[in-house]
Amino acid sequence: MTTQDKINVFLEIVHQVKRLDPVNVRKWFDELVLVQFDGGLLEIGCPDEASAQFLQDNCLAGFTQSAQNITGHLVSVKFSVSRSQLSETYDDLSQGSLKLHPNYTFENFIVGPCNRLAQASCLAVSQSPGEAYNPLFLYGNDGLGKTHLLHAVCHRIREKLLNASILFLSCEEFVNRFIRAIEQGKLDDFQRRMRTVDILIIDDIQFLQEREQSQEEFFHTFNALYNNQKQIMLAANCAPGELPSLEEALINRFKWGLVARLDAPGYETRTAIVQKKAHLRGLSISEEIAGYIARKVKSNVRELEGALTIIYATAKASDSQITLELAQQALGDKDVIDERHISIIEISNAVTKYFDVRLADLQSKNRSQNIALPRQICMYLARNLTIHSLEEIGGYFGRYDQATVLDASDWIDNLRQTEPKMNSLIQEVTKQITQDEQNINIAENASFSLKLRIEIAEFVDHEKVADSIIKVCRALNAYHIACGGNGLIIDDWETYVPEEQLAEKF
Ligand code: ADP
Ligand code: MG
């Protein structure tokens, strides 16, 4: 395997672990690097001791399994704090040790309507730091190119202004350095270091939330740099105003310069990105395949890259060319696997258990917060994890219409982006759903996962008929039923009601 092959396989392994074990995924997973991959040993470099220990305790089996799945060989996995050439971690540029990602340049950044303002403002900042926009605040969902643009600014400044001192830190690094400085009684050094740079770049600034002392320290750093017309660049996964646990004075300052949003790229931009990424990996793929991938993966550029890696790994494993059929097989199967196992009943089971509420309450019109939120979460998960239509989902969770399901689902989606707690809650419930052995057994048994759909459109008064069916089913302890617009769904009904018994009742 060439080095690039090894890196691709490594990225694919990390991607698979993220997908199969979302609860254990941490923000710094993106900072993991490949140290070595030789003789059946995969050594993964972690940002620090704590993350290496975390992986050793929680993710060793996941990495080992994924490595075996992808390479087809037994691989022994080791976590260390070593760094490789491709480290994406942030360090002190002025000390010459920042390892900028070599591909995160302006040249490799595809511009479209979704990111034009962000790209143009970064370019302007790299041309005249401290003058164009100060501070420059980039925000957008994960995987839309914020870190890429920050690296691009550093590349460009480093080319042009050799003497400029740049400090590029992840927010966590800022906080950790601050804590270390206090512990070691070296706060003065820390402050001098932070406040005398020409350009301060902090990525993922949302992590400053709920860290009051660090916020205060950053506030003073900000003021000192700003007053000296030094450039400040920040990136976050949401707008300044959507960082509620940050001090208002800080939020206001974030808006003093330019706030630029990155949106999910449209089809054309996605296609161009796929082609660019393929090119960077030395692959040539046709426009048709690039278009296919772009249609398949819509929300996030990182996932677009993941799709490309899966296709690449599939081609490599079968030693074949990348054709449209191969791409379809590589990505298509993935969806089938995702959808096959999960039924609406597994979702409602996991959510009712998590919130300690009754399914009957979720299926009622009760709009109190402690019932409405779990119901909204159910709708969101059902929309994303099952093959049911909006109408069916609305019907199942208490005869709500399609618009309500859509609103609920978007609302939860939004909360996931802005509130880390909601994100981990969803991850935990999703894990419950996918890991509950009993559920998986039921889902895997085709006869149980079959949904019985009784079309009752021909009944004159179908609402009334549906009601009486529901009553009968309830009497038989078959709670998992729902009335859709023109039909009735009994989900996994064989589990609860023997067919003859139900027939008898009618
Ligand atoms: P964020 O920091 O917003 O979470 P990143 O900057 O880490 O996202 O981007 C994730 C991946 O997507 C990176 O590999 C990056 O190169 C790529 N990417 C995102 N947007 C673009 C783009 N417009 N053109 C090329 N690559 C992009
Ligand atoms: Mg980032």
Side-chain angles (χ1 to χ4, degrees), residues 173 175-187:
E173 182 69 12
V175 172
N176 290 343
R177 284 191 186 199
F178 174 57
I179 293 171
R180 224 177 304 137
I182 296 178
E183 283 169 359
Q184 297 172 350
K186 291 183 175 168
L187 195 55

Side-chain angles (χ1 to χ4, degrees), residues 271-392:
T271 309
I273 292 174
V274 172
Q275 277 171 328
K276 171 65 83 180
K277 295 289 178 191
H279 177 75
L280 286 170
R281 289 178 181 197
L283 303 172
S284 85
I285 57 168
S286 68
E287 205 159 305
E288 190 187 20
I289 297 174
Y292 167 72
I293 300 173
R295 272 196 303 280
K296 194 86 187 153
V297 183
K298 298 194 178 111
S299 56
N300 172 319
V301 180
R302 199 172 284 133
E303 284 181 13
L304 218 47
E305 286 192 89
L308 196 60
T309 309
I310 290 171
I311 293 169
Y312 171 80
T314 309
K316 204 84 195 149
S318 56
D319 205 15
S320 36
Q321 296 289 324
I322 298 180
T323 59
L324 183 61
E325 291 70 41
L326 183 132
Q328 281 168 335
Q329 181 207 339
L331 298 187
D333 281 354
K334 179 175 153 239
D335 282 357
V336 176
I337 288 163
D338 284 343
E339 285 166 3
R340 189 175 58 215
H341 290 304
I342 295 169
S343 76
I344 207 163
I345 189 174
E346 289 161 346
I347 291 173
S348 56
N349 278 348
V351 174
T352 48
K353 200 157 123 197
Y354 186 93
F355 285 94
D356 197 18
V357 291
R358 293 180 319 147
L359 179 63
D361 288 329
L362 292 190
Q363 290 178 326
S364 72
K365 293 284 173 198
N366 184 340
R367 287 176 191 271
S368 63
Q369 176 67 11
N370 61 334
I371 301 295
L373 183 68
R375 184 188 297 127
Q376 286 166 325
I377 290 176
C378 282
M379 290 177 173
Y380 167 81
L381 290 171
R383 187 175 168 219
N384 285 292
L385 300 178
T386 74
I387 47 171
H388 290 296
S389 67
L390 294 173
E391 189 184 31
E392 288 171 341

Side-chain angles (χ1 to χ4, degrees), residues 186-459:
K186 291 183 175 168
L187 195 55
D188 283 352
D189 286 351
F190 172 85
Q191 290 175 339
R192 199 172 317 111
R193 184 79 203 87
M194 293 292 152
R195 297 177 193 184
T196 53
V197 293
D198 296 318
I199 298 147
L200 177 67
I201 304 178
I202 301 206
D203 201 358
D204 291 317
I205 193 78
Q206 72 271 9
F207 289 113
L208 214 50
Q209 291 190 98
E210 283 155 25
R211 287 166 165 161
E212 283 156 28
Q213 260 187 299
S214 303
Q215 266 183 58
E216 194 179 331
E217 185 58 35
F218 182 70
F219 179 75
H220 295 302
T221 306
F222 184 104
N223 290 341
L225 291 173
Y226 186 86
N227 291 338
N228 287 318
Q229 284 152 23
K230 303 298 185 191
Q231 180 69 46
I232 300 157
M233 282 184 75
L234 306 165
N237 64 1
C238 58
E242 292 167 354
L243 292 164
S245 354
L246 275 194
E247 283 294 322
E248 210 175 323
L250 208 46
I251 293 176
N252 284 336
R253 275 163 178 72
F254 290 169
K255 300 181 198 160
W256 279 356
L258 181 74
V259 176
R261 191 176 79 194
L262 289 98
D263 287 313
Y267 172 72
E268 287 78 9
T269 314
R270 293 201 301 277
T271 309
I273 292 174
V274 172
Q275 277 171 328
K276 171 65 83 180
K277 295 289 178 191
H279 177 75
L280 286 170
R281 289 178 181 197
L283 303 172
S284 85
I285 57 168
S286 68
E287 205 159 305
E288 190 187 20
I289 297 174
Y292 167 72
I293 300 173
R295 272 196 303 280
K296 194 86 187 153
V297 183
K298 298 194 178 111
S299 56
N300 172 319
V301 180
R302 199 172 284 133
E303 284 181 13
L304 218 47
E305 286 192 89
L308 196 60
T309 309
I310 290 171
I311 293 169
Y312 171 80
T314 309
K316 204 84 195 149
S318 56
D319 205 15
S320 36
Q321 296 289 324
I322 298 180
T323 59
L324 183 61
E325 291 70 41
L326 183 132
Q328 281 168 335
Q329 181 207 339
L331 298 187
D333 281 354
K334 179 175 153 239
D335 282 357
V336 176
I337 288 163
D338 284 343
E339 285 166 3
R340 189 175 58 215
H341 290 304
I342 295 169
S343 76
I344 207 163
I345 189 174
E346 289 161 346
I347 291 173
S348 56
N349 278 348
V351 174
T352 48
K353 200 157 123 197
Y354 186 93
F355 285 94
D356 197 18
V357 291
R358 293 180 319 147
L359 179 63
D361 288 329
L362 292 190
Q363 290 178 326
S364 72
K365 293 284 173 198
N366 184 340
R367 287 176 191 271
S368 63
Q369 176 67 11
N370 61 334
I371 301 295
L373 183 68
R375 184 188 297 127
Q376 286 166 325
I377 290 176
C378 282
M379 290 177 173
Y380 167 81
L381 290 171
R383 187 175 168 219
N384 285 292
L385 300 178
T386 74
I387 47 171
H388 290 296
S389 67
L390 294 173
E391 189 184 31
E392 288 171 341
I393 295 168
Y396 184 83
F397 291 109
R399 298 200 206 170
Y400 290 90
D401 60 16
Q402 298 183 28
T404 311
V405 180
L406 261 185
D407 284 351
S409 172
D410 289 349
W411 165 247
I412 298 297
D413 203 24
N414 246 327
L415 281 181
R416 276 193 86 170
Q417 316 289 349
T418 52
E419 288 189 18
K421 272 190 202 147
M422 175 58 78
N423 198 30
S424 31
L425 187 161
I426 298 285
Q427 285 178 344
E428 199 170 318
V429 176
T430 308
K431 191 175 182 191
Q432 280 297 323
I433 295 167
T434 48
Q435 284 201 341
D436 189 319
E437 206 146 341
Q438 193 194 345
N439 284 340
I440 289 171
N441 285 341
I442 291 172
E444 273 176 355
N445 182 332
S447 71
F448 282 117
S449 64
L450 262 179
K451 320 250 174 322
L452 175 69
R453 205 180 209 289
I454 303 175
E455 292 298 338
I456 53 171
E458 74 262 30
F459 287 101

Side-chain angles (χ1 to χ4, degrees), residues 460-473:
V460 183
D461 185 355
H462 86 258
E463 283 258 320
K464 202 163 162 202
V465 175
D467 270 346
S468 57
I469 295 177
I470 287 172
K471 271 188 203 132
V472 174
C473 292

Side-chain angles (χ1 to χ4, degrees), residues 2-104:
T2 64
T3 307
Q4 189 60 48
D5 288 345
K6 288 178 188 170
I7 292 169
N8 288 341
V9 171
F10 162 71
L11 291 172
E12 166 60 2
I13 292 169
V14 177
H15 182 73
Q16 189 171 102
V17 171
K18 282 180 173 175
R19 207 161 56 81
L20 297 180
D21 191 16
V23 167
N24 277 322
V25 172
R26 296 292 180 272
K27 186 79 196 165
W28 43 259
F29 267 45
D30 292 336
E31 297 174 28
L32 297 178
V33 292
L34 177 61
V35 178
Q36 58 162 321
F37 198 174
D38 285 308
L41 172 71
L42 169 65
E43 184 176 350
I44 298 175
C46 311
D48 50 39
E49 281 291 349
S51 48
Q53 193 60 49
F54 175 88
L55 291 176
Q56 184 67 33
D57 295 343
N58 300 288
C59 307
L60 183 61
F63 272 93
T64 309
Q65 187 60 51
S66 293
Q68 191 171 349
N69 293 346
I70 289 162
T71 62
H73 301 293
L74 204 57
V75 175
S76 128
V77 177
K78 179 181 166 191
F79 302 105
S80 67
V81 282
S82 329
R83 295 284 152 83
S84 88
Q85 290 279 309
L86 269 127
S87 171
E88 263 190 65
T89 50
Y90 314 97
D91 216 330
D92 195 339
L93 194 65
S94 56
Q95 287 169 9
S97 55
L98 173 69
K99 293 184 185 74
L100 288 176
H101 195 298
N103 289 342
Y104 287 5

Side-chain angles (χ1 to χ4, degrees), residues 106 121-129 152-154 156-157 160-161:
F106 281 117
S121 48
C122 284
L123 207 52
V125 163
S126 66
Q127 273 150 10
S128 43
V153 171
C154 290
R156 189 56 65 85
I157 293 179
K160 287 174 40 148
L161 303 164

